[in-house]
Amino acid sequence: MKISWGHCVAVQVAIAALSAVAVELNIDDGANKEVYALASIRNATSVIAHGMIQYYTGNTTGGPLVGLLPGPYYWWEAGAMWGAMVDYWHYTNDTTYNNITTQALLSQVGPADDYMVPAQMTNEGNDDQAFWGFAVMSAVEHGFPDPASSSLQWLSLVEALWNTQVFRWGLGSCNGGLKWQIFPSNKGYDYKNAISNGGFFQLAARLAHYTGNQTYVDWAEKSYNWTEGVGLIGPRYDVYDGTDDTMNCSSLDHVQLTYNIAIWLYGAAVMYNYTNGSSIWETRTSGLLTACATFFSPFSNSTNIMYEPSCEEDSSCDLDAQSFKAYLARFMWATTQMAPYTLDAITTLLRASATGAAASCSGGSDGVTCGSRWYTNNWDGLYGVGQQMSALEVMQGLLINGTAPPDTLPVVHLATTQPASSTIPVPSRNTATAPSTMATKTGTGMTGKEIHIESIICTCVVLCICLGF
């Protein structure tokens, strides 16, 4: 195969950009100092995003694969990936992938425009649906362009999705909660887990923050209290995987996973922001953030680097779990805007993790494929959508200082659906009222912190070698 000089330069610049990011990530408190080499971070994230999108073929094959990843990846991870691409656009202002992202998000709305997709009946659980909801909610909050020439708008889609879930809030066992699975025929229907209930909680919190509708607040509080009440959120804010509703949720699976605590941390931070820093949501946000320590520093020489303790060290993470760190990185960075007091603690953790992630993106035939273990200082031979997405989310979050926090509507938005069985109604045009504190909500984002990256001579050396000087 003939390789052009242009391709050579592009690949080597990509390697240099990733190397530059990996060499040194410094946060400088000096308010008047220049921010160095943010372009290097953008270049590095562009390389990683491109690598991730190479796994997607729906934009070239069309038909039933539009919006989906090829097997063996499940439906939910495609939704998660498009959420990462909305984030990518938001952080970098790179519109390269906007069209295929919009196409993908619209391709899976289903006949009722609520992300209930008949073709995914054997795969779609409440948690799977929620990950598509996270992507669309991010589109709402960040002003991702609404679909052109379409009656479908991002806000109506995410509200419709959430409304399907509130109908499923089950009082038949455990005094509430969402089951993992939607359909009784699917394995896991009798399991009520942290990720499904966390998805419902986080979307309620974010809809409350965006729309100002008190009913979403009520549901966020109700779902948090239920989850804490059955023990899925422990007294030290550890988040456990799930419980069996055939046993009335009397015993727990105590496995801890990065994506479980990620969902709850960010939802709590959004509620902290919406309630103008209420002490109860500050306590919950701080407790969940402290509990995240479980997922950092696996060894004495890998301080503050994120890992998946349940499976990463022995290489037993399945395709799903290989992406879990992406969501902890995504939602920890987002937490710094909703609860700015967390900035220093989170930046300390994610700066080190981003350094490790950049070092891991040094493998494959292209030399920039990302691996799973960020504490090895090189590529570990593993690769896939999850590895690319995890590196992308932890690294692009370094650009958060240059972005606006999640937006809110200037007036209260009232949705229309009413559930069949619950003491708390779904938002109604006739019953919802504006919270009295809406005009003074916080969320101004990070202040007084600038990201500095030391530039290195490696870039010039690599370019000179590649060009033959």
Side-chain angles (χ1 to χ4, degrees):
M1 179 179 69
K2 183 178 180 180
I3 299 177
S4 68
W5 283 117
H7 178 79
C8 178
V9 171
V11 170
Q12 294 303 327
V13 169
I15 294 171
L18 290 171
S19 299
V21 173
V23 166
E24 188 173 2
L25 295 171
N26 290 322
I27 301 298
D28 194 308
D29 290 339
N32 298 316
K33 291 188 177 181
E34 184 181 0
V35 177
Y36 293 103
L38 290 178
S40 292
I41 298 177
R42 291 188 181 93
N43 289 340
T45 57
S46 174
V47 172
I48 297 169
H50 177 76
M52 181 173 70
I53 289 297
Q54 298 312 297
Y55 289 91
Y56 175 61
T57 60
N59 58 323
T60 57
T61 60
L65 294 181
V66 173
L68 304 179
L69 288 166
Y73 294 101
Y74 286 108
W75 182 71
W76 78 274
E77 193 163 344
M81 184 182 77
W82 298 119
M85 295 312 297
V86 173
D87 286 349
Y88 173 76
W89 164 81
H90 176 62
Y91 283 125
T92 67
N93 293 316
D94 182 355
T95 61
T96 301
Y97 306 106
N98 281 17
N99 288 342
I100 63 170
T101 299
T102 297
Q103 180 191 43
L105 291 175
L106 294 179
S107 72
Q108 301 300 307
V109 299
D113 300 333
D114 55 8
Y115 291 91
M116 288 296 296
V117 184
Q120 299 298 330
M121 182 175 175
T122 59
N123 296 320
E124 184 172 359
N126 284 303
D127 55 340
D128 306 81
Q129 187 189 29
F131 272 89
W132 287 88
F134 297 153
V136 179
M137 192 70 226
S138 291
V140 172
E141 294 163 331
H142 299 318
F144 189 76
D146 270 308
S149 303
S150 171
S151 60
L152 299 177
Q153 302 296 293
W154 301 131
L155 180 58
S156 63
L157 288 171
V158 74
E159 287 186 318
L161 182 157
W162 187 86
N163 284 334
T164 68
Q165 295 201 343
V166 78
F167 275 106
R168 301 182 200 125
W169 183 267
L171 298 178
S173 63
C174 311
N175 197 32
L178 282 182
K179 291 174 175 287
W180 176 23
Q181 296 298 324
I182 297 170
F183 303 105
S185 56
N186 287 348
K187 184 178 179 180
Y189 183 73
D190 294 324
Y191 197 56
K192 291 188 174 179
N193 59 357
I195 193 64
S196 294
N197 286 281
F200 177 73
F201 160 72
Q202 190 193 106
L203 288 174
R206 293 167 72 177
L207 283 166
H209 180 266
Y210 184 78
T211 68
N213 194 312
Q214 181 63 35
T215 306
Y216 291 125
V217 180
D218 294 340
W219 272 104
E221 291 174 342
K222 180 183 180 72
S223 56
Y224 187 97
N225 290 337
W226 178 87
T227 305
E228 186 178 55
V230 298
L232 291 179
I233 298 175
R236 294 186 178 182
Y237 295 94
D238 296 312
V239 179
Y240 303 120
D241 191 66
T243 183
D244 189 338
D245 72 353
T246 65
M247 301 175 64
N248 201 34
C249 299
S250 59
S251 63
L252 303 176
D253 180 345
H254 285 91
V255 169
Q256 296 187 61
L257 302 168
T258 49
Y259 83 148
N260 280 333
I261 201 165
I263 305 307
W264 289 95
L265 170 66
Y266 185 51
V270 173
M271 291 301 293
Y272 166 84
N273 188 288
Y274 182 81
T275 58
N276 297 300
S278 73
S279 59
I280 187 169
W281 286 110
E282 180 178 356
T283 297
R284 290 168 171 173
T285 302
S286 298
L288 289 162
L289 179 57
T290 299
C292 285
T294 297
F295 306 103
F296 290 85
S297 307
F299 305 106
S300 60
N301 63 347
S302 56
T303 302
N304 297 330
I305 295 180
M306 188 191 300
Y307 78 119
E308 193 67 55
S310 68
C311 61
E312 190 171 297
E313 293 176 68
D314 64 2
S315 299
S316 64
C317 295
D318 62 15
L319 280 181
D320 287 355
Q322 288 168 12
S323 74
F324 286 175
K325 288 187 296 187
Y327 319 123
L328 184 54
R330 176 193 298 183
F331 290 127
M332 286 183 77
W333 280 125
T335 292
T336 66
Q337 290 193 318
M338 290 290 93
Y341 74 88
T342 66
L343 173 63
D344 288 344
I346 288 176
T347 299
T348 297
L349 295 170
L350 296 188
R351 177 185 60 197
S353 297
T355 303
S360 84
C361 295
S362 57
S365 60
D366 60 2
V368 289
T369 295
C370 300
S372 287
R373 299 181 184 89
W374 295 347
Y375 48 81
T376 63
N377 203 37
N378 54 42
W379 185 51
D380 60 3
L382 302 173
Y383 58 91
V385 174
Q387 287 85 350
Q388 295 295 130
M389 187 175 4
S390 296
L392 179 63
E393 290 283 17
V394 75
M395 290 173 63
Q396 67 188 5
L398 294 165
L399 301 170
I400 198 168
N401 191 42
T403 67
D407 200 3
T408 60
L409 288 176
V411 295
V412 176
H413 170 78
L414 308 179
T416 58
T417 305
Q418 186 73 21
S421 59
S422 175
T423 57
I424 298 178
V426 165
S428 165
R429 293 187 187 276
N430 298 320
T431 61
T433 57
S436 60
T437 58
M438 186 172 180
T440 58
K441 286 187 291 186
T442 59
T444 57
M446 293 200 268
T447 58
K449 300 288 178 183
E450 296 180 323
I451 300 172
H452 291 249
I453 305 176
E454 185 129 342
S455 59
I456 60 174
I457 199 168
C458 172
T459 304
C460 294
V461 171
V462 170
L463 281 172
C464 288
I465 292 172
C466 190
L467 291 172
F469 292 118

